[in-house]
Amino acid sequence: MNLDKVFIVLSHPEESRNIGAACRAMANNNIRHLRIVGKREDYSDEKVRILAIHAVNLWESAEFFDSVKDATADCTLSAGTTRRRGKKRKGKLFFPEEFAAKAAEITGNSDKNGGNVAIVFGNERTGLTDQELSECTVGVTIPSSNEFASLNLSHAVQILCYHIFREKNKNEHGYTPLPLSRINSTVETIADNLQKIGFFSITGRPDMENFWRNLLSRSAISESEAQYIEKIFTKAAGLATKKRVNDSLAADKFNKN
């Protein structure tokens, strides 16, 4: 996924502050290209900046067009967002995660290869008109409650941008869960230290090891967590041993006196 080939298009947004909030949503997800169907002078620069905060550069570099067709002319795929279905509202509507996967295929991973992709959002009150949606090549919908289906413009932008961003980074994890071979080492450390302090007899060790192995594997712990657990049990055993030695020395001293 090449995020530099993803374009957010806002068609005739009514509220200047929503543009600012949309800029912030885009920046949260490393999406940098904003296009607006309308005229810059129709919007309050001050109100946009209030909610854009540190993403105001996206507003400053935004491009303005006369129609959705013009705003997406250089794109291979343009997705119109809509919650309404109907004969004139596209046949199949992608869910955000489905569209993100399709966008990844089209944009590719290189600046030289791949095509541009646009996500088009309609006016806050009316959404995209039938004509505007017809100028898009596909439709995408965000599932929401039937009792209150309408989303704020910036919220819709955030959801689509987030799915695009997650698709870009889908192979990245916050941490790598440990394999059983590494977990076994932690289990051995736990059992060794419990045995040092006399927590169980030698015959009870296998059951204790199985308990910890099963628990830690289900927890999908990280390397840093494994090391922390090992330190806890090692320190506990060390303190217990130190206390025994001190108690023994104190007893010897008492007996000599």
Side-chain angles (χ1 to χ4, degrees):
M1 170 78 79
N2 186 345
L3 296 181
D4 282 332
K5 293 183 180 295
V6 177
F7 294 78
I8 300 300
V9 179
L10 307 181
S11 182
H12 300 291
E14 282 194 2
E15 175 56 61
S16 298
R17 289 174 297 181
N18 276 337
I19 298 175
C23 289
R24 191 171 182 180
M26 292 169 61
N28 286 155
N29 297 283
N30 286 344
I31 296 176
R32 304 174 182 86
H33 301 299
L34 174 63
R35 293 177 172 179
I36 296 175
V37 179
K39 298 179 179 179
R40 184 181 289 271
E41 56 266 28
D42 290 339
Y43 302 102
S44 166
D45 182 78
E46 180 182 1
K47 290 182 179 179
V48 172
R49 289 174 181 273
I50 288 174
L51 288 189
I53 308 179
H54 299 300
V56 71
N57 61 299
L58 299 183
W59 161 247
E60 292 172 344
S61 62
E63 300 174 279
F64 288 80
F65 297 84
D66 293 329
S67 67
V68 169
K69 185 177 180 180
D70 291 340
T72 59
D74 61 348
C75 296
T76 300
L77 183 72
S78 59
T81 56
T82 179
R83 65 180 177 83
R84 291 177 283 134
R85 297 176 183 270
K87 185 176 181 180
K88 296 182 180 180
R89 307 297 293 179
K90 301 295 183 187
K92 169 181 168 56
L93 297 178
F94 286 98
F95 288 137
E97 60 273 20
E98 294 173 329
F99 174 73
K102 177 61 66 177
E105 292 177 13
I106 292 173
T107 61
N109 295 308
S110 169
D111 291 335
K112 296 180 180 179
N113 300 319
N116 294 335
V117 167
I119 311 173
V120 186
F121 299 85
N123 173 274
E124 292 94 322
R125 284 188 306 103
T126 61
L128 291 174
T129 66
D130 289 348
Q131 176 60 35
E132 288 174 327
L133 190 59
S134 72
E135 293 175 7
C136 299
T137 56
V138 298
V140 60
T141 190
I142 301 171
S144 56
S145 169
N146 289 330
E147 296 177 6
F148 193 67
S150 179
L151 291 171
N152 176 273
L153 174 60
S154 65
H155 294 176
V157 172
Q158 178 69 266
I159 290 171
L160 264 299
C161 287
Y162 172 77
H163 278 281
I164 292 289
F165 181 77
R166 288 295 295 128
E167 180 67 27
K168 160 74 173 175
N169 299 283
K170 68 178 182 180
N171 293 322
E172 295 183 10
H173 304 283
Y175 72 96
T176 302
L178 296 180
L180 283 174
S181 59
R182 175 65 182 87
I183 289 175
N184 287 338
S185 178
T186 299
V187 170
E188 185 175 356
T189 298
I190 292 172
D192 284 346
N193 285 297
L194 288 176
Q195 190 167 328
K196 286 178 183 178
I197 63 176
F199 188 83
F200 51 75
S201 64
I202 295 177
T203 55
R205 178 163 176 152
D207 288 340
M208 180 64 69
E209 288 181 336
N210 285 335
F211 167 79
W212 281 103
R213 183 180 297 106
N214 294 341
L215 178 64
L216 296 180
S217 66
R218 289 200 306 271
S219 301
I221 64 172
S222 66
E223 176 62 34
S224 61
E225 289 170 331
Q227 292 179 10
Y228 191 65
I229 291 170
E230 292 168 352
K231 287 180 181 179
I232 290 173
F233 280 90
T234 299
K235 186 172 183 178
L239 290 173
T241 301
K242 183 178 180 180
K243 185 177 185 304
R244 280 203 307 269
V245 171
N246 290 338
D247 288 347
S248 178
L249 291 174
D252 289 344
K253 184 176 180 181
F254 177 81
N255 291 331
K256 288 180 180 179
N257 293 334

